[in-house]
Amino acid sequence: MRSSLTLSLYFGRQFLFGILTVLVVLAVLAYSFDTVELLRRASGRADASLDLVLQLSLLKLPTLMTKLFPFAVLFGSMLALSRLTRSQELTVSRAAGISVWQFLLPGVTLALLLGAFLVTVYNPLSAAMLARYEAIEAKVMRGRSSMLAVSSGGLWLREADASGQIVVHALRVAQQGIELRDAILFYYEGKDVFVKRIDASAALLQDGTWLLENAIISYPDKPAERHAQLRVPTTLTFDRIQESFASPNTVSFWELPGFITTLENAGFSAVKHRLYYYSLLASPILLCAMLLIAASFSLRLTRRGGIGIMLAGGVGAGFLLYLSVELMQPFGLNGTLPVLLAAWAPTAVFVMLGISLLFHLEDG
């Protein structure tokens, strides 16, 4: 028997209500815990007022919810299916000849639509808010602002202290940022008083210094100086440069392919950003897998009356998801597994697990 459009829409509304209910609860908990953590970090800092902490928590919340969304689908689908079972609506639907695959189809369709919305609309918003959060957090909580920018025009670095600042530009890099090619160093006194400029064919970052090759020092009011090799002090380190990269979460889904290309053309590794991009593409399918697993636990355990076991099974499935994602990502980052496989493997495992459990429950 084919399921009617009215019945499909009704089941879809039940799934949507369950997912949104759990999502609101998770949002309140995430905001509360993150606010408490930021208050702890902000203690003793004069610039970190309560209003600023609340603002920072709000800016970070969309990114936190992105990680919690699969759990909202898991527990929200459990909530919807358990309600439908207790009210005997699923029993009546089965008696009318509607299979489990038919009344789960609205939920699967909803999960796909939510996943597509999460990637194409919600992700750019959360990325922009997280970028704003990281800029404020770095300035207020850690006392330093972002000092690196990568664009099609090359790499820009900035280091500043009480006396002035140095702006470094390079067309390309080697050794993952340790060596700059065609480098230019601009020295400023204060914020905007130009002091000198150093052009070099290469700049190698060593302990506390830049080793410049074929350096030319230009001054505003005296002749240029040439040096085969020149050492200039710097406070930059390789770790600080790596930390200043825009994290994948701060780059919009639509901008990620171009940003990955720019990073690779500049000489940096974009494995982390590529892994994140493939994970975003896999997220709609992952939400479908979570719904299938929720159905497997809910339908089986409501028949047996084991609500506690149902919750335990859901928690176990959620933990398995988290563990699989956390285990796969390092393998993709260090090159042990292809990035595409590392991003899609957890999704594929959960899809197969959900389908196999439902086949065992309904047809086995």
Side-chain angles (χ1 to χ4, degrees), residues 246-267:
S247 63
N249 292 338
T250 62
V251 184
S252 166
F253 168 78
W254 302 107
E255 298 174 355
L256 265 174
F259 188 79
I260 290 171
T261 302
T262 300
L263 276 182
E264 292 176 340
N265 290 341

Side-chain angles (χ1 to χ4, degrees), residues 213-236:
E213 300 287 343
N214 302 317
I216 303 175
I217 307 177
S218 303
Y219 298 96
D221 53 359
K222 60 181 181 179
E225 299 177 2
R226 295 179 178 271
H227 300 268
Q229 281 193 340
L230 179 66
R231 291 184 180 271
V232 296
T234 180
T235 59
L236 296 177

Side-chain angles (χ1 to χ4, degrees), residues 10-83:
Y10 175 76
F11 284 145
R13 286 197 302 270
Q14 294 299 314
F15 281 112
L16 181 61
F17 176 78
I19 293 171
L20 290 180
T21 300
V22 176
L23 198 62
V24 169
V25 173
L26 291 178
V28 172
L29 292 175
Y31 184 79
S32 301
F33 285 122
D34 191 55
T35 301
V36 171
E37 172 62 18
L38 285 175
L39 284 172
R40 183 192 65 81
R41 294 178 56 194
S43 60
R45 296 184 178 273
D47 296 337
S49 63
L50 178 59
D51 290 341
L52 181 62
V53 169
L54 295 177
Q55 178 187 352
L56 286 174
S57 297
L58 190 61
L59 288 173
K60 191 178 179 182
L61 181 61
T63 301
L64 294 177
M65 295 312 300
T66 300
K67 299 178 180 179
L68 294 174
F69 212 92
F71 296 95
V73 172
L74 175 69
F75 293 111
S77 301
M78 284 185 170
L79 177 62
L81 290 172
S82 61
R83 290 179 57 203

